[in-house]
Amino acid sequence: MSPIPGAWAETVARVRENDDEAARDLIQHLYPMVLRIARAHRPSRMAEEDLCQEIFLGVFKCLDQYRGAVPFEHWVSRVAVNTCIDHLRRQRARPELRWADLPETEAQMLQDLAADDAEPSAEQNVAARDLVGRLLETLDPKDRALIQWFELEDRTVVEVSALTGWNATLVKVRAFRARRRLRRALDLLLQTPPAHPRP
Amino acid sequence: MKNPRPLLRRLITAARAALDPAPAADAEPPPGFATRVLQRRRQMATPAEPSFATLLRNVTIGAAAAVLCLALGIGFVLQPSDPDGTDDNLAVQSQIESWVTLL
């Protein structure tokens, strides 16, 4: 096995030999990054801590495959993203979102947003966040992750490339298709407004 | 209703304003988190004892495979030397073939 470059080489080597103290150090160091990824890509029915545990288990399970070709943190972030996508895939995607599925607050917010250009209130922002979450649930997990990175987190193509290991062209093409599918999901929702608009 | 394209842009802008803040760069794991992860890691490394159902299933599959091999072996040994069908083994062979088909 080739030596791993970087500050974590010794710790990683000890974790591979089942040193619990080294594993605790690694968890402590990586936790903020893992938590950020888990929070952004968590399936709605899974607790944040459970997903973080699954990510760390994935990291420990695949640690022998790490060859040092990319910085250790990048490699961990890829394991984390793949773990999240696997769990999102297990949670069956909602086939489509219809007007009748929306809670009152989200339907009202969407009507208001469509009706005028006024700045949305804090409550409307929360309703918009929840509605975007519902729309994302109708997408493939990879599309969902791309929308999250580009539209909600303002990530660059280079950053997403580093996070996923996909090349820049692939990231751009997938992001373009993901946006198109999200628009289609919203379009479909707008085609099924209530028979009697809410007051 | 507006064109979904600008509406989607407005929706996303509004959603971004209400996103949960990103965790702090020095966020600590919850108490006992590392212990739980390491316990699960150890459990994964230890092969689980096979359950009775697994044993039963393995024995059944093994027995079925043995019977199939035996039937095929007998069928091979008792191949008729007389293609005209005068050999008595033909009857045995066709019987075995029917068992194999059934299996």
Side-chain angles (χ1 to χ4, degrees), chain A residues 152-167:
Chain A
L152 300 176
E153 294 179 12
D154 257 347
R155 299 262 188 173
T156 63
V157 172
V158 175
E159 285 174 326
V160 173
S161 257
L163 265 173
T164 55
W166 304 335
N167 67 47

Side-chain angles (χ1 to χ4, degrees), chain A residues 46-66:
Chain A
M46 193 169 191
E48 199 170 85
E49 190 191 317
D50 290 347
L51 186 55
C52 289
Q53 279 192 25
E54 294 296 328
I55 291 170
F56 278 111
L57 287 173
V59 168
F60 291 138
K61 194 175 161 191
C62 303
L63 204 55
D64 284 340
Q65 294 165 22
Y66 177 62

Side-chain angles (χ1 to χ4, degrees), chain A residues 15 18 20 23-24 28 31-32 35 39 49 53-54 56-57 113-114 116-118 125 128-129 151 154 183 187, chain B residues 1-2 4 8-10 14-21 23-25 27-30 33 35-36 38 40-42:
Chain A
V15 176
N18 294 323
D20 277 3
R24 281 175 195 277
Q28 188 79 21
Y31 186 77
L35 178 63
R39 194 170 279 178
E49 190 191 317
Q53 279 192 25
E54 294 296 328
F56 278 111
L57 287 173
L113 220 56
D116 62 47
D117 291 333
N125 287 342
R129 180 199 63 195
E151 303 296 334
D154 257 347
R183 266 202 305 276
D187 200 19
Chain B
M1 283 280 172
K2 281 187 171 178
L8 181 60
R9 179 61 37 216
R10 291 199 72 206
R16 285 172 57 143
L19 281 183
D20 295 331
E28 293 277 329
F33 178 81
T35 308
R36 289 191 286 280
L38 295 178
R40 288 186 62 192
R41 186 188 182 200
R42 275 192 287 274

Side-chain angles (χ1 to χ4, degrees), chain A residues 104-126:
Chain A
E104 181 81 23
T105 47
E106 290 170 32
Q108 189 62 54
M109 176 276 305
L110 194 56
Q111 282 183 330
D112 294 347
L113 220 56
D116 62 47
D117 291 333
E119 194 68 22
S121 66
E123 290 79 26
Q124 284 177 318
N125 287 342
V126 171

Side-chain angles (χ1 to χ4, degrees), chain A residues 38-178:
Chain A
R39 194 170 279 178
H41 306 283
R42 180 176 63 86
S44 57
R45 275 167 255 154
M46 193 169 191
E48 199 170 85
E49 190 191 317
D50 290 347
L51 186 55
C52 289
Q53 279 192 25
E54 294 296 328
I55 291 170
F56 278 111
L57 287 173
V59 168
F60 291 138
K61 194 175 161 191
C62 303
L63 204 55
D64 284 340
Q65 294 165 22
Y66 177 62
R67 297 281 177 271
V70 290
F72 185 61
E73 283 87 349
H74 286 199
W75 180 80
V76 172
S77 72
R78 288 180 195 178
V79 174
V81 166
N82 286 335
T83 307
C84 292
I85 288 178
D86 283 349
H87 282 275
L88 284 169
R89 201 167 276 144
R90 278 179 219 168
Q91 175 180 294
R92 194 177 262 181
R94 190 193 280 264
E96 61 185 38
L97 188 62
R98 294 192 165 270
W99 200 273
D101 302 328
L102 296 187
E104 181 81 23
T105 47
E106 290 170 32
Q108 189 62 54
M109 176 276 305
L110 194 56
Q111 282 183 330
D112 294 347
L113 220 56
D116 62 47
D117 291 333
E119 194 68 22
S121 66
E123 290 79 26
Q124 284 177 318
N125 287 342
V126 171
R129 180 199 63 195
D130 295 345
L131 178 56
V132 169
R134 283 178 211 282
L135 285 168
L136 291 181
E137 281 179 13
T138 65
L139 302 183
D140 172 87
K142 281 181 184 165
D143 289 348
R144 181 179 168 163
L146 285 161
I147 298 288
Q148 176 77 32
W149 287 318
F150 284 115
E151 303 296 334
L152 300 176
E153 294 179 12
D154 257 347
R155 299 262 188 173
T156 63
V157 172
V158 175
E159 285 174 326
V160 173
S161 257
L163 265 173
T164 55
W166 304 335
N167 67 47
T169 311
L170 184 63
V171 169
K172 286 179 196 168
V173 170
R174 283 188 170 164
F176 173 77
R177 290 180 184 156

Side-chain angles (χ1 to χ4, degrees), chain B residues 52-100:
Chain B
F52 179 70
T54 311
L55 279 175
L56 193 65
R57 193 189 62 197
N58 290 347
V59 167
T60 310
I61 291 172
V67 169
L68 185 64
C69 290
L70 193 65
L72 287 171
I74 293 171
F76 182 74
V77 169
L78 297 183
Q79 272 188 89
S81 52
D82 177 9
D84 296 336
T86 51
D87 199 317
D88 287 342
N89 285 344
L90 255 186
V92 179
Q93 193 200 9
S94 75
Q95 184 62 51
I96 289 168
E97 279 173 354
S98 68
W99 291 345
V100 171

